[in-house]
Amino acid sequence: MINWKNPDYAPIWKERAERLDRIRANPEILHALKLHYKDNPVQFITDWGVTFDPRNAEIGVETIVPFLLFDKQAEFVEWVVNLWGNREDGLAEKSRDMGVSWLCVAIAAWMYLFKPGVVIGLGSRKEEYVDKIGDPKSLFWKIRQFISYLPREFQPIGYDECKHAPHMRIVNPENDSVIAGEAGDNIGRGNRTAIYFKDESAFYEHPESIDAALSQTSNCKIDVSTPNGVGNPFYRKRHGGKIKVFVFDWKDDPRKDDAWYQKQCDSLDPVIVAQEIDRNYEASITDAFIPAPIVESATRRGVADIEALGPVQYGLDVARFGDDKTVLTCRRGRVVFWQKSWGKTDTEDTAGRVKSEIDAFMKPDQIAIDVIGVGAGVVDKLKRIYPEKGLVVEVNSALRVDDGYNYNLRAKMWDDMREWLKTPVSIPKDGLLRTDLTALRYKFNGGLRLMESKDDAKKRGVKSPDYADSLALTFAEPVRIKKTSAPITMPYRQYDMGIM
């Protein structure tokens, strides 16, 4: 039994040497042993695999050590192999330093050795992470090490690393299996693969195009990553319920305990702890415009917990592209009653749907509509339905503002919405709204805050934040109150009146 916190590898090396001596003294057993390993990857990795940890040098321990799988690692190996056999996709959400990259390498090497004619794909966001000669962080360096430390009896017959393991490719001359590497937007553009490991896939620059390419070239894709914020394809897969998920929590690692965790908290940035150790999607980015705890607090309060005072405001974000949604939000003061969404429709149908939803609920004091794109056509039709001056408000979110803080009206609306969320408010317990509110990032332009554009968000796989934009539209302009739809209880706050 290994002492995981203070391992002694000498007995393991001795046992392997004795096992190898028995094989060489009785070569007839080698064929039967290979047949056994063909169906038992955990046993093969445990018996012969190695891993590398440069930190061992600091404490006088060898850096190349036997790859001894703890229970969760062994479970992962079997999980991946079963997915491959069933031609299913999977996602592995991991804490840092769980040895998952080495596990993927070990599985790839096992398949390469014992499954004739297979092609195993390995991809990461940068080429240097896939293959860079002499760099231990690259996946192919790990594979070459794994193979080179195997006894010659388990290496492919005729294998020569210089000849058969060139850049981004390792060929088995005995059974024609191949391990192939790709990086960045080239992932999925090569040959078909039996299985594809997508290393740190939450950090890909164009994840949706990569997913589209891989959908045509592999029947088993394994996404492996620590979290990187909400809204991206890795997040949606993880929480979508459509593919199988494997979770590596730091508590599953017998080498770690509460003292280890406290040391990480004391020495690392809280965002790194949240992202790479606690696997917290919403707290794992530093430039989220609206922090997750603010949104979480707002979802804890129900409509009955907050008195709805002031004018009734509707915000309409009209779908512009493809799978975008048209979303209508109803807010009164500090309460968001509901959000209704539907697929892209023409302006006539959209205006009719808005009227139907409003008539079924509560008379409006304001309907704010984003006029960029097809929204302008909806405004014209709703103004005919609601002719009262100032009731239907045209919002051009790209207009510059002069408040000394925000670059344009969209940034100001989101800024006001964020401040509103900090007060005692109630919003629906809806995962789509929560994701939208926390997904967007920001930057500065000339010292002024600028929200991430929908196009830029889509480049990193984040869908249009239609639900959040719809709510933000209720903060575009103060309501011009002539006669409210219900009495207002005094005293009221600026937030209750829609005035920021």
Side-chain angles (χ1 to χ4, degrees), residues 102-377:
W102 272 98
L103 284 173
C104 294
V105 160
I107 297 168
W110 168 79
M111 294 182 67
Y112 161 89
L113 293 168
F114 296 105
K115 303 296 178 181
V118 302
V119 178
I120 305 105
L122 291 173
S124 194
R125 67 187 187 276
K126 293 183 179 180
E127 184 173 316
E128 65 190 89
Y129 298 148
V130 182
D131 195 5
K132 185 177 181 182
I133 300 298
D135 191 341
K137 77 170 178 285
S138 71
L139 296 171
F140 272 70
W141 184 93
K142 294 178 173 69
I143 296 175
R144 294 186 185 98
Q145 290 292 102
F146 190 97
I147 296 173
S148 68
Y149 273 85
L150 291 173
R152 65 176 183 273
E153 285 80 1
F154 295 105
Q155 293 181 5
I157 296 174
Y159 176 76
D160 180 340
E161 184 174 300
C162 294
K163 180 179 179 182
H164 298 111
H167 184 63
M168 303 281 267
R169 193 171 182 84
I170 301 178
V171 179
N172 187 325
E174 184 179 0
N175 68 7
D176 295 324
S177 290
V178 174
I179 302 174
E182 295 171 321
D185 290 346
N186 289 323
I187 292 175
R189 307 294 177 185
N191 295 328
R192 294 180 179 179
T193 59
I195 187 170
Y196 206 105
F197 293 96
K198 299 166 62 185
D199 186 56
E200 292 296 350
S201 64
F203 296 84
Y204 291 168
E205 188 173 353
H206 301 112
E208 289 186 319
S209 64
I210 290 172
D211 283 347
L214 281 174
S215 69
Q216 305 301 311
T217 59
S218 181
N219 290 321
C220 179
K221 285 85 67 182
I222 309 296
D223 284 88
V224 179
S225 189
T226 52
N228 182 33
V230 301
N232 55 57
F234 185 85
Y235 173 88
R236 295 199 298 272
K237 290 177 193 176
R238 168 63 178 89
H239 296 92
K242 294 182 179 180
I243 68 172
K244 293 181 178 177
V245 174
F246 193 98
V247 175
F248 276 105
D249 186 79
W250 67 267
K251 295 177 182 177
D252 297 321
D253 190 336
R255 300 169 297 181
K256 298 168 184 173
D257 54 21
D258 290 341
W260 173 89
Y261 178 76
Q262 188 58 52
K263 182 178 180 181
Q264 309 308 305
C265 293
D266 293 341
S267 59
L268 298 175
D269 184 277
V271 173
I272 295 177
V273 174
Q275 173 177 299
E276 299 194 8
I277 299 177
D278 293 333
R279 311 184 333 276
N280 186 322
Y281 289 81
E282 294 166 329
S284 64
I285 52 175
T286 57
D287 53 355
F289 191 78
I290 300 179
I294 295 175
V295 179
E296 183 177 354
S297 177
T299 60
R300 291 198 191 108
R301 305 183 190 95
V303 173
D305 299 323
I306 303 291
E307 189 174 6
L309 304 174
V312 178
Q313 296 174 260
Y314 293 88
L316 179 67
D317 184 63
V318 183
R320 289 179 242 172
F321 308 105
D323 59 352
D324 290 357
K325 296 287 187 182
T326 292
V327 181
L328 178 66
T329 297
C330 178
R331 175 174 78 88
R332 188 176 189 193
R334 291 179 291 149
V335 176
V336 175
F337 289 109
W338 47 254
Q339 291 191 301
K340 305 288 180 70
S341 67
W342 55 92
K344 192 172 183 181
T345 57
D346 61 30
T347 56
E348 191 75 41
D349 288 342
T350 297
R353 178 69 182 269
V354 170
K355 181 180 184 303
S356 176
E357 297 291 354
I358 290 176
D359 289 350
F361 189 68
M362 197 179 296
K363 181 181 177 182
D365 292 298
Q366 184 189 79
I367 306 171
I369 306 168
D370 190 348
V371 296
I372 296 178
V374 296

Side-chain angles (χ1 to χ4, degrees), residues 364-421:
D365 292 298
Q366 184 189 79
I367 306 171
I369 306 168
D370 190 348
V371 296
I372 296 178
V374 296
V378 178
V379 167
D380 293 338
K381 290 172 174 56
L382 286 176
K383 280 188 172 182
R384 290 196 291 270
I385 297 171
Y386 301 101
E388 182 179 349
K389 185 177 180 181
L391 195 149
V392 177
V393 176
E394 304 175 39
V395 180
N396 184 343
S397 58
L399 286 178
R400 294 292 297 271
V401 295
D402 188 21
D403 64 356
Y405 299 102
N406 296 293
Y407 184 80
N408 57 19
L409 180 56
R410 184 168 187 244
K412 185 179 185 304
M413 290 189 303
W414 274 72
D415 191 19
D416 289 345
M417 178 171 64
R418 180 181 59 184
E419 295 306 308
W420 175 81
L421 284 165

